[in-house]
Amino acid sequence: MNNLVFLPVLLPLLTGIILIFFSKYIKIQRFLSLVSSSLGIILSCLLIGKVHDQGILALQVGSWEAPFGISIVADMLSSLLVLTTNIIGFAVLIYSFYSIGTGREKFYYYSFVQFLLVGVNGAFLTGDIFNLFVFFEVMLMSSYVLLVLGGTKAQLRESLKYILVNVISSALFVISVAYLYSVVGTLNMADISRRIAESGQPGIITVIAVSFLIVFGLKGAIFPLFYWLPGSYYAPPIPVIALFGALLTKVGVYAILRTFTLLFYHDQQYTHELLGILAIFTIIVGTIGAVGYWDIKKIIIYNIVIAVGMITFGISLMNEQGLSGAIYYTIHDMIIKAALFLLVGIMAMITGTSDLRKMGGLIQAYPYAAWTFFIAAISLAGIPPFSGFAGKLLLLEGAVEGEAYVGFAVILISSLLMLYSVMKIFINGFWGKPRAYKDADLVPVSRLAVPAALLVIVSIALGLGTEAIYPYISQAMEPLIDPAIYINAVLKE
Amino acid sequence: MKTNDIILQTVAKVASLVIILFSIYIFFGGHYSPGGGFVGGLLASGAIVLLLLAYDLKTVANMLPVDYKLVVAAGLLISSATVSGALFFDAPLMTHAYQYFELPLLGHTSLHTAVLFDLGVYLVVIGITMTIIQTIGESE
């Protein structure tokens, strides 16, 4: 019995509920959500410590034993992702204080941020496939509201598309779960895995695996299913984009990682090769987008697509280096994407536009923000002392071991073009002749830069402390290679 | 000439009372027979909607001066407090407990903490339905 496992979900839920009562008192809302998200960081650190000492923790909710009740399972992977989520939530909250505006704050903004965190943390921690669906919906419902809150024209148009795509993919999720349930007769992921292993994954299970791939691919934006992402992530205000870009697609990727290592790993010839091909196309499409645009938000948005491709490529390799590379890269990318969106948001706010050709010379007036952006940019590309390096190196090692040389080349070339795309922002936005911007004095740049710098510091620590973090990553990777560890921890055999 | 809907209003007054009683019956019967918090909540909000049809938004708001958004929050709070109550008894979360009591009038009755969870659901359903209907009704 480990109630600690569920507390990262319960805490934001209670906070979100209490914040509804204080919808008109902005100071109380800010204070409470700040306290709650700092508590969340502490709780998830405790969780990581406990998982490190005792191995995988499973909580049988309501005292009903494993295949019959709902299991909440914290392995190292989930715990690390929960910690990352909480850190990002904390930084985005501080950024929101100075940028979101009282109109949104009075309309339950902070409650919905907390509910989004409930959904994301829950999706990472659950051990039950239908529960995963429910937490997906909690997350998506809050994201619908955060996307449309404010009601500008672009937001309304994009939220229609976003909701349409996600309603369809959620329906497909339910259908896939129904198929899976009618074949194996259980919903607990450990139990499903055991039963699929007993039957040796017949053809119908592979079909279900591909339909799950379509569902999670729609949520996580992999190659033919990413089309909704660039528009939808362009519309909302910056802190909301940072939350979406860092968390939402990664939950889809996590679900692919979980299902393809725990449930559908018997017919890798078909499923994992398909995943590998889609991943490579995802990287290519993302790179084309990132290089092609002159809009700072669009460039970072297409960098999300690249990262999703990189991580799914790591999953498709199914060897130790590939998977630990995917885990490391996921954590790095969540943090650095949030930081980049926050920094790009500062640029857009100062200049009043997100068109790169209409800005320049920002480094003169805002040197700290500029150098923070520079570090974030080279960290994204994977320059050695920073956090993007280790993950990419592991992915490349995995590609060599899995003899996936096309993927190897695509990752290297796309890294170069990723660097080009963010350096384009740096060179054109920060260097050059300073221009006069109308409302630049109204933007509290020094305050807004603090949360972004915080995330960049976390990312630097992640890069410099790779040695210290690696044991955790490899502990997270073990149950992915050997599902028996996970199954035994949940079903207690 | 103003239309007179006295028959509708008189019937609505009586009928909504009966519907609310029925929703409470359904709510408490949920453990042993079909029903429970969700249907009960929908029925109760159905009763309020009937009043809205017979009168207008303002009159009903005067009859029932509640902010339904706070009803939602209160319902969520009750449910999640019931869920997290297990923390204080060293049990896994969402563990429910029940006990038999000798109550006056009702006699030998079992009381279960799942009712509290259902009460939360009941309030959330009423709150959500009424918020949706009121918001759509008020906007021009």
Side-chain angles (χ1 to χ4, degrees), chain A residues 90-116:
Chain A
F90 181 76
V92 170
L93 267 175
I94 298 178
Y95 193 91
S96 309
F97 293 165
Y98 304 111
S99 69
I100 200 74
T102 46
R104 288 192 171 91
E105 281 177 314
K106 281 187 180 164
F107 262 88
Y108 307 98
Y109 173 77
Y110 293 117
S111 287
F112 282 108
V113 171
Q114 297 294 333
F115 290 140
L116 187 81

PDB file of all heavy atoms in Angstrom, chain A residues 90-116:
ATOM      1  N   PHE A  90       5.147  24.334 -12.702  1.00  0.00           N
ATOM      2  CA  PHE A  90       5.598  25.396 -11.805  1.00  0.00           C
ATOM      3  C   PHE A  90       6.091  26.601 -12.600  1.00  0.00           C
ATOM      4  O   PHE A  90       5.672  27.743 -12.366  1.00  0.00           O
ATOM      5  CB  PHE A  90       6.727  24.828 -10.925  1.00  0.00           C
ATOM      6  CG  PHE A  90       7.290  25.781  -9.926  1.00  0.00           C
ATOM      7  CD1 PHE A  90       6.594  26.075  -8.770  1.00  0.00           C
ATOM      8  CD2 PHE A  90       8.532  26.369 -10.127  1.00  0.00           C
ATOM      9  CE1 PHE A  90       7.112  26.941  -7.836  1.00  0.00           C
ATOM     10  CE2 PHE A  90       9.057  27.243  -9.198  1.00  0.00           C
ATOM     11  CZ  PHE A  90       8.349  27.528  -8.054  1.00  0.00           C
ATOM     12  N   ALA A  91       6.970  26.343 -13.593  1.00  0.00           N
ATOM     13  CA  ALA A  91       7.537  27.445 -14.375  1.00  0.00           C
ATOM     14  C   ALA A  91       6.450  28.168 -15.159  1.00  0.00           C
ATOM     15  O   ALA A  91       6.417  29.407 -15.197  1.00  0.00           O
ATOM     16  CB  ALA A  91       8.615  26.907 -15.318  1.00  0.00           C
ATOM     17  N   VAL A  92       5.534  27.409 -15.767  1.00  0.00           N
ATOM     18  CA  VAL A  92       4.494  28.035 -16.579  1.00  0.00           C
ATOM     19  C   VAL A  92       3.555  28.867 -15.706  1.00  0.00           C
ATOM     20  O   VAL A  92       3.106  29.940 -16.116  1.00  0.00           O
ATOM     21  CB  VAL A  92       3.722  26.960 -17.378  1.00  0.00           C
ATOM     22  CG1 VAL A  92       2.492  27.558 -18.018  1.00  0.00           C
ATOM     23  CG2 VAL A  92       4.614  26.362 -18.438  1.00  0.00           C
ATOM     24  N   LEU A  93       3.305  28.397 -14.475  1.00  0.00           N
ATOM     25  CA  LEU A  93       2.452  29.168 -13.563  1.00  0.00           C
ATOM     26  C   LEU A  93       3.062  30.532 -13.281  1.00  0.00           C
ATOM     27  O   LEU A  93       2.378  31.557 -13.365  1.00  0.00           O
ATOM     28  CB  LEU A  93       2.280  28.415 -12.250  1.00  0.00           C
ATOM     29  CG  LEU A  93       1.074  27.509 -12.155  1.00  0.00           C
ATOM     30  CD1 LEU A  93       1.107  26.753 -10.848  1.00  0.00           C
ATOM     31  CD2 LEU A  93      -0.199  28.313 -12.255  1.00  0.00           C
ATOM     32  N   ILE A  94       4.371  30.537 -12.951  1.00  0.00           N
ATOM     33  CA  ILE A  94       5.017  31.820 -12.651  1.00  0.00           C
ATOM     34  C   ILE A  94       4.951  32.734 -13.864  1.00  0.00           C
ATOM     35  O   ILE A  94       4.668  33.928 -13.760  1.00  0.00           O
ATOM     36  CB  ILE A  94       6.489  31.600 -12.233  1.00  0.00           C
ATOM     37  CG1 ILE A  94       6.524  30.772 -10.961  1.00  0.00           C
ATOM     38  CG2 ILE A  94       7.194  32.919 -11.997  1.00  0.00           C
ATOM     39  CD1 ILE A  94       7.903  30.458 -10.499  1.00  0.00           C
ATOM     40  N   TYR A  95       5.173  32.160 -15.048  1.00  0.00           N
ATOM     41  CA  TYR A  95       5.102  32.946 -16.283  1.00  0.00           C
ATOM     42  C   TYR A  95       3.693  33.495 -16.483  1.00  0.00           C
ATOM     43  O   TYR A  95       3.529  34.641 -16.922  1.00  0.00           O
ATOM     44  CB  TYR A  95       5.507  32.043 -17.448  1.00  0.00           C
ATOM     45  CG  TYR A  95       5.782  32.758 -18.741  1.00  0.00           C
ATOM     46  CD1 TYR A  95       7.067  33.196 -19.039  1.00  0.00           C
ATOM     47  CD2 TYR A  95       4.790  32.946 -19.681  1.00  0.00           C
ATOM     48  CE1 TYR A  95       7.339  33.820 -20.231  1.00  0.00           C
ATOM     49  CE2 TYR A  95       5.054  33.571 -20.885  1.00  0.00           C
ATOM     50  CZ  TYR A  95       6.335  34.012 -21.157  1.00  0.00           C
ATOM     51  OH  TYR A  95       6.600  34.624 -22.346  1.00  0.00           O
ATOM     52  N   SER A  96       2.686  32.681 -16.148  1.00  0.00           N
ATOM     53  CA  SER A  96       1.300  33.123 -16.340  1.00  0.00           C
ATOM     54  C   SER A  96       0.961  34.321 -15.472  1.00  0.00           C
ATOM     55  O   SER A  96       0.170  35.176 -15.867  1.00  0.00           O
ATOM     56  CB  SER A  96       0.324  32.004 -15.998  1.00  0.00           C
ATOM     57  OG  SER A  96       0.658  30.837 -16.642  1.00  0.00           O
ATOM     58  N   PHE A  97       1.549  34.389 -14.267  1.00  0.00           N
ATOM     59  CA  PHE A  97       1.237  35.492 -13.352  1.00  0.00           C
ATOM     60  C   PHE A  97       1.425  36.836 -14.041  1.00  0.00           C
ATOM     61  O   PHE A  97       0.684  37.774 -13.822  1.00  0.00           O
ATOM     62  CB  PHE A  97       2.148  35.457 -12.121  1.00  0.00           C
ATOM     63  CG  PHE A  97       1.923  34.277 -11.227  1.00  0.00           C
ATOM     64  CD1 PHE A  97       2.851  33.945 -10.257  1.00  0.00           C
ATOM     65  CD2 PHE A  97       0.783  33.495 -11.344  1.00  0.00           C
ATOM     66  CE1 PHE A  97       2.651  32.867  -9.430  1.00  0.00           C
ATOM     67  CE2 PHE A  97       0.574  32.407 -10.524  1.00  0.00           C
ATOM     68  CZ  PHE A  97       1.516  32.096  -9.567  1.00  0.00           C
ATOM     69  N   TYR A  98       2.477  36.921 -14.888  1.00  0.00           N
ATOM     70  CA  TYR A  98       2.815  38.216 -15.472  1.00  0.00           C
ATOM     71  C   TYR A  98       2.336  38.381 -16.907  1.00  0.00           C
ATOM     72  O   TYR A  98       2.568  39.406 -17.510  1.00  0.00           O
ATOM     73  CB  TYR A  98       4.335  38.419 -15.413  1.00  0.00           C
ATOM     74  CG  TYR A  98       4.875  38.287 -14.021  1.00  0.00           C
ATOM     75  CD1 TYR A  98       5.679  37.224 -13.668  1.00  0.00           C
ATOM     76  CD2 TYR A  98       4.518  39.212 -13.043  1.00  0.00           C
ATOM     77  CE1 TYR A  98       6.145  37.085 -12.380  1.00  0.00           C
ATOM     78  CE2 TYR A  98       4.975  39.082 -11.762  1.00  0.00           C
ATOM     79  CZ  TYR A  98       5.792  38.014 -11.434  1.00  0.00           C
ATOM     80  OH  TYR A  98       6.240  37.879 -10.159  1.00  0.00           O
ATOM     81  N   SER A  99       1.748  37.323 -17.477  1.00  0.00           N
ATOM     82  CA  SER A  99       1.438  37.481 -18.893  1.00  0.00           C
ATOM     83  C   SER A  99       0.023  37.105 -19.292  1.00  0.00           C
ATOM     84  O   SER A  99      -0.415  37.483 -20.367  1.00  0.00           O
ATOM     85  CB  SER A  99       2.418  36.655 -19.732  1.00  0.00           C
ATOM     86  OG  SER A  99       2.172  35.295 -19.546  1.00  0.00           O
ATOM     87  N   ILE A 100      -0.736  36.382 -18.439  1.00  0.00           N
ATOM     88  CA  ILE A 100      -1.977  35.837 -18.953  1.00  0.00           C
ATOM     89  C   ILE A 100      -3.122  36.851 -18.901  1.00  0.00           C
ATOM     90  O   ILE A 100      -4.054  36.792 -19.698  1.00  0.00           O
ATOM     91  CB  ILE A 100      -2.344  34.527 -18.207  1.00  0.00           C
ATOM     92  CG1 ILE A 100      -3.334  33.684 -19.018  1.00  0.00           C
ATOM     93  CG2 ILE A 100      -2.932  34.797 -16.846  1.00  0.00           C
ATOM     94  CD1 ILE A 100      -2.724  33.007 -20.190  1.00  0.00           C
ATOM     95  N   GLY A 101      -3.036  37.809 -17.981  1.00  0.00           N
ATOM     96  CA  GLY A 101      -4.065  38.864 -17.950  1.00  0.00           C
ATOM     97  C   GLY A 101      -5.224  38.523 -17.025  1.00  0.00           C
ATOM     98  O   GLY A 101      -5.635  37.367 -16.932  1.00  0.00           O
ATOM     99  N   THR A 102      -5.773  39.550 -16.361  1.00  0.00           N
ATOM    100  CA  THR A 102      -6.783  39.278 -15.331  1.00  0.00           C
ATOM    101  C   THR A 102      -8.071  38.696 -15.903  1.00  0.00           C
ATOM    102  O   THR A 102      -8.771  37.973 -15.223  1.00  0.00           O
ATOM    103  CB  THR A 102      -7.135  40.564 -14.560  1.00  0.00           C
ATOM    104  OG1 THR A 102      -7.337  41.590 -15.519  1.00  0.00           O
ATOM    105  CG2 THR A 102      -6.041  40.950 -13.609  1.00  0.00           C
ATOM    106  N   GLY A 103      -8.396  39.026 -17.146  1.00  0.00           N
ATOM    107  CA  GLY A 103      -9.624  38.503 -17.733  1.00  0.00           C
ATOM    108  C   GLY A 103      -9.647  36.984 -17.708  1.00  0.00           C
ATOM    109  O   GLY A 103     -10.616  36.371 -17.250  1.00  0.00           O
ATOM    110  N   ARG A 104      -8.567  36.381 -18.175  1.00  0.00           N
ATOM    111  CA  ARG A 104      -8.496  34.920 -18.171  1.00  0.00           C
ATOM    112  C   ARG A 104      -8.392  34.385 -16.749  1.00  0.00           C
ATOM    113  O   ARG A 104      -8.979  33.362 -16.417  1.00  0.00           O
ATOM    114  CB  ARG A 104      -7.306  34.453 -18.994  1.00  0.00           C
ATOM    115  CG  ARG A 104      -7.498  34.627 -20.482  1.00  0.00           C
ATOM    116  CD  ARG A 104      -6.417  33.885 -21.235  1.00  0.00           C
ATOM    117  NE  ARG A 104      -6.687  33.853 -22.658  1.00  0.00           N
ATOM    118  CZ  ARG A 104      -6.255  34.770 -23.520  1.00  0.00           C
ATOM    119  NH1 ARG A 104      -5.574  35.808 -23.075  1.00  0.00           N
ATOM    120  NH2 ARG A 104      -6.513  34.662 -24.800  1.00  0.00           N
ATOM    121  N   GLU A 105      -7.609  35.096 -15.911  1.00  0.00           N
ATOM    122  CA  GLU A 105      -7.411  34.612 -14.546  1.00  0.00           C
ATOM    123  C   GLU A 105      -8.729  34.492 -13.802  1.00  0.00           C
ATOM    124  O   GLU A 105      -8.924  33.600 -12.997  1.00  0.00           O
ATOM    125  CB  GLU A 105      -6.466  35.550 -13.784  1.00  0.00           C
ATOM    126  CG  GLU A 105      -5.006  35.318 -14.124  1.00  0.00           C
ATOM    127  CD  GLU A 105      -4.092  36.297 -13.426  1.00  0.00           C
ATOM    128  OE1 GLU A 105      -4.410  37.496 -13.435  1.00  0.00           O
ATOM    129  OE2 GLU A 105      -3.072  35.866 -12.879  1.00  0.00           O
ATOM    130  N   LYS A 106      -9.659  35.431 -14.071  1.00  0.00           N
ATOM    131  CA  LYS A 106     -10.938  35.377 -13.374  1.00  0.00           C
ATOM    132  C   LYS A 106     -11.842  34.293 -13.929  1.00  0.00           C
ATOM    133  O   LYS A 106     -12.835  33.940 -13.307  1.00  0.00           O
ATOM    134  CB  LYS A 106     -11.634  36.736 -13.455  1.00  0.00           C
ATOM    135  CG  LYS A 106     -11.077  37.708 -12.461  1.00  0.00           C
ATOM    136  CD  LYS A 106     -11.878  38.972 -12.426  1.00  0.00           C
ATOM    137  CE  LYS A 106     -11.267  39.920 -11.403  1.00  0.00           C
ATOM    138  NZ  LYS A 106     -11.755  41.287 -11.592  1.00  0.00           N
ATOM    139  N   PHE A 107     -11.525  33.807 -15.128  1.00  0.00           N
ATOM    140  CA  PHE A 107     -12.358  32.754 -15.702  1.00  0.00           C
ATOM    141  C   PHE A 107     -11.720  31.381 -15.533  1.00  0.00           C
ATOM    142  O   PHE A 107     -11.584  30.637 -16.496  1.00  0.00           O
ATOM    143  CB  PHE A 107     -12.681  33.055 -17.164  1.00  0.00           C
ATOM    144  CG  PHE A 107     -14.028  33.679 -17.306  1.00  0.00           C
ATOM    145  CD1 PHE A 107     -14.199  35.041 -17.230  1.00  0.00           C
ATOM    146  CD2 PHE A 107     -15.140  32.861 -17.472  1.00  0.00           C
ATOM    147  CE1 PHE A 107     -15.446  35.606 -17.332  1.00  0.00           C
ATOM    148  CE2 PHE A 107     -16.398  33.422 -17.565  1.00  0.00           C
ATOM    149  CZ  PHE A 107     -16.553  34.799 -17.498  1.00  0.00           C
ATOM    150  N   TYR A 108     -11.325  31.075 -14.305  1.00  0.00           N
ATOM    151  CA  TYR A 108     -10.927  29.711 -13.934  1.00  0.00           C
ATOM    152  C   TYR A 108      -9.658  29.233 -14.636  1.00  0.00           C
ATOM    153  O   TYR A 108      -9.463  28.033 -14.790  1.00  0.00           O
ATOM    154  CB  TYR A 108     -12.065  28.725 -14.190  1.00  0.00           C
ATOM    155  CG  TYR A 108     -13.357  29.144 -13.551  1.00  0.00           C
ATOM    156  CD1 TYR A 108     -14.347  29.789 -14.275  1.00  0.00           C
ATOM    157  CD2 TYR A 108     -13.566  28.932 -12.204  1.00  0.00           C
ATOM    158  CE1 TYR A 108     -15.520  30.201 -13.672  1.00  0.00           C
ATOM    159  CE2 TYR A 108     -14.734  29.330 -11.586  1.00  0.00           C
ATOM    160  CZ  TYR A 108     -15.704  29.967 -12.327  1.00  0.00           C
ATOM    161  OH  TYR A 108     -16.853  30.371 -11.722  1.00  0.00           O
ATOM    162  N   TYR A 109      -8.795  30.168 -15.089  1.00  0.00           N
ATOM    163  CA  TYR A 109      -7.575  29.736 -15.769  1.00  0.00           C
ATOM    164  C   TYR A 109      -6.758  28.772 -14.901  1.00  0.00           C
ATOM    165  O   TYR A 109      -6.378  27.685 -15.343  1.00  0.00           O
ATOM    166  CB  TYR A 109      -6.741  30.961 -16.139  1.00  0.00           C
ATOM    167  CG  TYR A 109      -5.383  30.644 -16.701  1.00  0.00           C
ATOM    168  CD1 TYR A 109      -5.241  30.208 -18.002  1.00  0.00           C
ATOM    169  CD2 TYR A 109      -4.238  30.768 -15.912  1.00  0.00           C
ATOM    170  CE1 TYR A 109      -4.001  29.914 -18.523  1.00  0.00           C
ATOM    171  CE2 TYR A 109      -2.995  30.475 -16.424  1.00  0.00           C
ATOM    172  CZ  TYR A 109      -2.880  30.047 -17.730  1.00  0.00           C
ATOM    173  OH  TYR A 109      -1.654  29.746 -18.228  1.00  0.00           O
ATOM    174  N   TYR A 110      -6.504  29.160 -13.646  1.00  0.00           N
ATOM    175  CA  TYR A 110      -5.621  28.342 -12.790  1.00  0.00           C
ATOM    176  C   TYR A 110      -6.239  26.993 -12.478  1.00  0.00           C
ATOM    177  O   TYR A 110      -5.534  25.984 -12.400  1.00  0.00           O
ATOM    178  CB  TYR A 110      -5.261  29.103 -11.516  1.00  0.00           C
ATOM    179  CG  TYR A 110      -4.409  30.309 -11.796  1.00  0.00           C
ATOM    180  CD1 TYR A 110      -4.858  31.589 -11.521  1.00  0.00           C
ATOM    181  CD2 TYR A 110      -3.167  30.169 -12.380  1.00  0.00           C
ATOM    182  CE1 TYR A 110      -4.082  32.691 -11.812  1.00  0.00           C
ATOM    183  CE2 TYR A 110      -2.383  31.262 -12.678  1.00  0.00           C
ATOM    184  CZ  TYR A 110      -2.844  32.523 -12.393  1.00  0.00           C
ATOM    185  OH  TYR A 110      -2.083  33.601 -12.696  1.00  0.00           O
ATOM    186  N   SER A 111      -7.581  26.956 -12.304  1.00  0.00           N
ATOM    187  CA  SER A 111      -8.234  25.664 -12.094  1.00  0.00           C
ATOM    188  C   SER A 111      -7.958  24.735 -13.258  1.00  0.00           C
ATOM    189  O   SER A 111      -7.621  23.562 -13.072  1.00  0.00           O
ATOM    190  CB  SER A 111      -9.746  25.835 -11.981  1.00  0.00           C
ATOM    191  OG  SER A 111     -10.074  26.411 -10.771  1.00  0.00           O
ATOM    192  N   PHE A 112      -8.085  25.269 -14.488  1.00  0.00           N
ATOM    193  CA  PHE A 112      -7.921  24.387 -15.636  1.00  0.00           C
ATOM    194  C   PHE A 112      -6.473  23.961 -15.816  1.00  0.00           C
ATOM    195  O   PHE A 112      -6.217  22.845 -16.265  1.00  0.00           O
ATOM    196  CB  PHE A 112      -8.483  25.041 -16.894  1.00  0.00           C
ATOM    197  CG  PHE A 112      -9.965  24.948 -16.935  1.00  0.00           C
ATOM    198  CD1 PHE A 112     -10.760  26.052 -16.741  1.00  0.00           C
ATOM    199  CD2 PHE A 112     -10.569  23.716 -17.116  1.00  0.00           C
ATOM    200  CE1 PHE A 112     -12.129  25.941 -16.744  1.00  0.00           C
ATOM    201  CE2 PHE A 112     -11.938  23.599 -17.123  1.00  0.00           C
ATOM    202  CZ  PHE A 112     -12.731  24.716 -16.936  1.00  0.00           C
ATOM    203  N   VAL A 113      -5.517  24.828 -15.429  1.00  0.00           N
ATOM    204  CA  VAL A 113      -4.123  24.383 -15.471  1.00  0.00           C
ATOM    205  C   VAL A 113      -3.938  23.208 -14.525  1.00  0.00           C
ATOM    206  O   VAL A 113      -3.317  22.201 -14.859  1.00  0.00           O
ATOM    207  CB  VAL A 113      -3.173  25.544 -15.105  1.00  0.00           C
ATOM    208  CG1 VAL A 113      -1.760  25.041 -14.934  1.00  0.00           C
ATOM    209  CG2 VAL A 113      -3.211  26.610 -16.177  1.00  0.00           C
ATOM    210  N   GLN A 114      -4.540  23.334 -13.315  1.00  0.00           N
ATOM    211  CA  GLN A 114      -4.421  22.223 -12.353  1.00  0.00           C
ATOM    212  C   GLN A 114      -5.077  20.954 -12.890  1.00  0.00           C
ATOM    213  O   GLN A 114      -4.541  19.856 -12.748  1.00  0.00           O
ATOM    214  CB  GLN A 114      -5.042  22.599 -11.004  1.00  0.00           C
ATOM    215  CG  GLN A 114      -4.370  23.759 -10.301  1.00  0.00           C
ATOM    216  CD  GLN A 114      -2.959  23.439  -9.865  1.00  0.00           C
ATOM    217  OE1 GLN A 114      -2.615  22.294  -9.622  1.00  0.00           O
ATOM    218  NE2 GLN A 114      -2.124  24.454  -9.779  1.00  0.00           N
ATOM    219  N   PHE A 115      -6.249  21.090 -13.525  1.00  0.00           N
ATOM    220  CA  PHE A 115      -6.916  19.895 -14.052  1.00  0.00           C
ATOM    221  C   PHE A 115      -6.106  19.270 -15.190  1.00  0.00           C
ATOM    222  O   PHE A 115      -6.087  18.046 -15.338  1.00  0.00           O
ATOM    223  CB  PHE A 115      -8.335  20.224 -14.516  1.00  0.00           C
ATOM    224  CG  PHE A 115      -9.278  20.525 -13.384  1.00  0.00           C
ATOM    225  CD1 PHE A 115     -10.217  21.541 -13.467  1.00  0.00           C
ATOM    226  CD2 PHE A 115      -9.229  19.795 -12.214  1.00  0.00           C
ATOM    227  CE1 PHE A 115     -11.070  21.822 -12.420  1.00  0.00           C
ATOM    228  CE2 PHE A 115     -10.060  20.061 -11.157  1.00  0.00           C
ATOM    229  CZ  PHE A 115     -10.988  21.077 -11.253  1.00  0.00           C
ATOM    230  N   LEU A 116      -5.429  20.125 -15.978  1.00  0.00           N
ATOM    231  CA  LEU A 116      -4.552  19.592 -17.021  1.00  0.00           C
ATOM    232  C   LEU A 116      -3.436  18.756 -16.394  1.00  0.00           C
ATOM    233  O   LEU A 116      -3.129  17.656 -16.861  1.00  0.00           O
ATOM    234  CB  LEU A 116      -3.954  20.736 -17.837  1.00  0.00           C
ATOM    235  CG  LEU A 116      -3.163  20.305 -19.061  1.00  0.00           C
ATOM    236  CD1 LEU A 116      -4.090  20.011 -20.211  1.00  0.00           C
ATOM    237  CD2 LEU A 116      -2.164  21.348 -19.479  1.00  0.00           C
TER     238      LEU A 116
END
